[in-house]
Amino acid sequence: MPFVVSTSVEKPDPEVRKLIRSHVMLGKNQGKTRCSRRREASNVADKSSPNEDLGAPSASFITASHSVIPPKIGSDLSTIRFADAVEPSKVEFVLRFSSIAKQTLFPLDSCILFEKREEAWMEPLTFDPAFLNAMIFTTLDYFDSMRHRNRYTMSQQTLPHYLRTLRLLRERLLHENDQALTTPTVSAILALAAHAHFVGDSESAKHHLGGLRKIVSLRGGVATFSDNAKLLVEILRCDIGISFHSGSRPLFFNKSSSQEPFLPYPDQTLLFKSMLKTTVRQTQYDSEIFLRDIDDELASAWRVMAGFCLMINLAAESKNRIATETFLDTMASVIYRLLDMTHFEAGSTEEAIRLGLLAFSSSIFLQWKQLGMSYDHLATTYRECLAELRVSSIPSRLLLWLLMVGAVSVFGCADDKWLKPWLRVNIDLGEVESWSDMQDILKPLMWIGLVLDEPGKDVFDSSFVYDLVTPPLDHSPMSIGSL
């Protein structure tokens, strides 16, 4: 039975919000386990008199019978007025997927405090049809793409919701009604941009993101998202991901096309004090040895990222969480500055560090490689930079970090033929005998074990299968002899 259509722009009443939240909390916070009344009734029956009339139902039997509540028929969703006529099973699928999506799409979720996340995106399902259809088509399409990664086509059950999302948004933006600048509209357009980016349609992704950029400007800029930091995180992640993939200039915090100044770096001293409840000494990184000799802005970006990694590692170890704003401010302040640093010479140590930081950031802030996403432009630029790198001028530990970061973040299997032998040579030169030894090199520089240890260990172990006596292929971007 389809849901009743509701096109009202009013927010749902408290009862609807209660039902949505109760659905999200299914299986969670179940509270204390209560003793079964059936067991109590059984005990009463055991103590009943043997002379009791067995033909009549005992009081204990009646008590036990009424204590068994029949299973509920139907779904909580059947009582909710959603914004469009859709199949209940599809909305159910969206809600259930949301409970596991964060673990798949956002591995740092356990370390970040996203406040009021469920309410922020679930309530519009009841009053915004474009948002509702966008959530359905992106959820269904995600599973379509996972099942048919090498031959992706949008399924027949997904396509109608995709087309309806497009039509509703076009009508809304064409008539410039009150909904054109709302948060659900922003979210629906973001879904279109992210979907196009995910399936490799760069032009459509840029088109949707361009429209989103205009709406954000009409709303007053990114500052208007101060009450919804998670949505701004997703907008900027999409902008950054498209830039990494295509090489296009980002649309946000872009000096040539954006009026927003770069976000200031977060004050990490205060953040560390808040987490540790004590005075924090200035952390001395191994990287300070080479940071003294590079561009000041680049060195500042490195220090901020290294400090962020320390915070995440500390949060993971102590089971604490950092604020969404800390994640957002670090991501935006570091990455957009790095993307703007285009003046370093190709093959220089500074350019290698800049690209290494961008590659590292992709694995920390985007984390889409495991979903089959590629960052073609960033990978190509980084590969060419490493091929021209003057290794004699770079510290051996930094070189190991640059190679490991590239391997776990942006390079693919096709790069193994030149990357793994080069990595193996430097592992031997550094007398690195185990993954634990490698961690001792990576962590003092910049590393987040929660995200990178598993793929990092795979890269480390696989580098030992290469025969160092065999020269690399002629068409590889570099040779072992260049070391």
Side-chain angles (χ1 to χ4, degrees):
M1 176 179 177
F3 292 110
V4 177
V5 177
S6 173
T7 57
S8 170
V9 297
E10 298 295 327
K11 288 190 175 182
D13 58 37
E15 189 62 26
V16 171
R17 298 182 64 184
K18 180 180 178 181
L19 284 170
I20 293 177
R21 284 197 293 270
S22 68
H23 185 83
V24 174
M25 296 305 294
L26 284 176
K28 305 175 183 178
N29 297 339
Q30 295 182 357
K32 297 180 180 179
T33 303
R34 297 182 179 180
C35 296
S36 171
R37 291 188 178 182
R38 185 180 299 178
R39 182 180 301 173
E40 294 176 1
S42 176
N43 292 337
V44 172
D46 292 340
K47 296 178 182 179
S48 60
S49 171
N51 297 324
E52 187 175 354
D53 183 4
L54 298 178
S58 65
S60 61
F61 176 81
I62 295 175
T63 301
S65 299
H66 283 278
S67 68
V68 179
I69 301 175
K72 180 173 60 178
I73 299 176
S75 166
D76 286 339
L77 301 182
S78 61
T79 64
I80 301 176
R81 293 168 60 91
F82 280 87
D84 209 350
V86 296
E87 296 175 23
S89 60
K90 292 181 179 178
V91 180
E92 183 85 16
F93 196 45
V94 171
L95 296 178
R96 293 194 179 279
F97 174 65
S98 69
S99 65
I100 63 171
K102 59 185 180 180
Q103 302 169 10
T104 304
L105 306 178
F106 209 84
L108 280 185
D109 179 81
S110 61
C111 299
I112 313 295
L113 180 61
F114 295 121
E115 297 181 355
K116 299 181 179 179
R117 176 170 44 194
E118 285 82 6
E119 291 87 343
W121 76 265
M122 290 181 65
E123 287 181 359
L125 296 174
T126 64
F127 62 82
D128 192 301
F131 179 86
L132 171 64
N133 281 277
M135 293 303 101
I136 292 176
F137 101 73
T138 51
T139 300
L140 296 177
D141 196 68
Y142 169 78
F143 285 99
D144 288 343
S145 63
M146 289 296 100
R147 285 194 298 266
H148 311 291
R149 184 171 293 181
N150 296 326
R151 49 185 179 84
Y152 166 78
T153 55
M154 187 175 290
S155 69
Q156 291 302 310
Q157 69 167 342
T158 304
L159 184 60
H161 297 285
Y162 171 72
L163 295 176
R164 181 150 176 77
T165 301
L166 284 173
R167 184 171 67 82
L168 290 170
L169 287 174
R170 284 170 180 165
E171 292 175 354
R172 184 176 300 179
L173 298 175
L174 180 64
H175 295 92
E176 297 183 353
N177 59 33
D178 294 339
Q179 288 183 290
L181 303 182
T182 62
T183 296
T185 297
V186 170
S187 299
I189 297 175
L190 175 61
L192 290 172
H195 166 263
H197 175 50
F198 186 79
V199 300
D201 187 355
S202 296
E203 291 306 313
S204 293
K206 294 175 186 177
H207 174 75
H208 293 310
L209 190 65
L212 185 58
R213 164 75 264 190
K214 293 179 181 178
I215 290 178
V216 171
S217 296
L218 290 173
R219 283 171 55 119
V222 296
T224 60
F225 290 85
S226 58
D227 62 339
N228 198 340
K230 181 61 168 66
L231 178 57
L232 183 56
V233 164
E234 297 306 326
I235 292 173
L236 299 184
R237 290 210 309 165
C238 186
D239 185 34
I240 292 167
I242 292 173
S243 180
F244 283 178
H245 178 75
S246 67
S248 59
R249 298 288 293 170
L251 298 186
F252 293 88
F253 304 107
N254 183 346
K255 291 181 179 179
S256 61
S257 61
S258 173
Q259 297 180 352
E260 292 109 355
F262 291 131
L263 291 183
Y265 288 130
D267 187 340
Q268 294 182 336
T269 302
L270 294 177
L271 292 171
F272 275 120
K273 286 182 179 180
S274 174
M275 294 181 71
L276 297 177
K277 307 298 183 184
T278 185
T279 301
V280 179
R281 297 178 181 178
Q282 179 65 34
T283 305
Q284 298 295 323
Y285 309 111
D286 284 3
S287 51
E288 288 297 331
I289 298 173
F290 65 84
L291 291 182
R292 294 192 296 264
D293 301 324
I294 67 174
D295 178 85
D296 289 342
E297 275 295 312
L298 182 59
S300 295
W302 177 285
R303 292 187 181 100
V304 172
M305 271 303 299
F308 177 78
C309 291
L310 286 176
M311 278 191 289
I312 291 295
N313 289 332
L314 179 61
E317 292 172 5
S318 61
K319 307 300 181 184
N320 288 322
R321 298 190 177 196
I322 66 172
T324 311
E325 289 75 14
T326 301
F327 180 93
L328 168 64
D329 292 346
T330 304
M331 177 184 72
S333 64
V334 171
I335 294 182
Y336 283 103
R337 280 182 172 85
L338 290 172
L339 288 172
D340 190 61
M341 297 180 195
T342 57
H343 55 282
F344 299 127
E345 181 184 353
S348 65
T349 299
E350 290 175 318
E351 179 66 354
I353 292 174
R354 182 184 80 90
L355 294 171
L357 283 172
L358 287 174
F360 183 83
S361 297
S362 74
S363 63
I364 300 304
F365 295 113
L366 304 188
Q367 302 169 321
W368 295 335
K369 184 180 179 182
Q370 66 270 29
L371 301 179
M373 287 294 299
S374 62
Y375 310 107
D376 291 350
H377 178 79
L378 176 58
T380 299
T381 307
Y382 195 19
R383 186 184 302 113
E384 292 173 350
C385 178
L386 290 176
E388 300 177 21
L389 187 62
R390 295 181 288 274
V391 295
S392 60
S393 62
I394 191 168
S396 59
R397 291 191 169 210
L398 176 59
L399 181 57
L400 270 175
W401 183 86
L402 291 171
L403 296 175
M404 285 294 297
V405 164
V408 300
S409 301
V410 296
F411 295 143
C413 295
D415 295 294
D416 286 354
K417 59 182 176 291
W418 64 265
L419 178 61
K420 298 293 179 65
W422 196 12
L423 183 61
R424 171 68 187 280
V425 166
N426 283 274
I427 287 174
D428 289 349
L429 290 175
E431 299 181 349
V432 180
E433 298 181 355
S434 66
W435 170 240
S436 178
D437 291 342
M438 178 64 84
Q439 287 177 303
D440 290 340
I441 292 174
L442 299 173
K443 287 182 177 179
L445 293 173
M446 192 183 305
W447 197 255
I448 294 180
L450 179 66
V451 176
L452 301 176
D453 271 354
E454 184 176 344
K457 187 177 186 303
D458 289 342
V459 169
F460 177 81
D461 292 341
S462 63
S463 67
F464 285 91
V465 305
Y466 286 85
D467 183 2
L468 297 184
V469 178
T470 304
L473 299 177
D474 292 339
H475 59 272
S476 63
M478 63 196 67
S479 67
I480 294 178
S482 66
L483 299 176

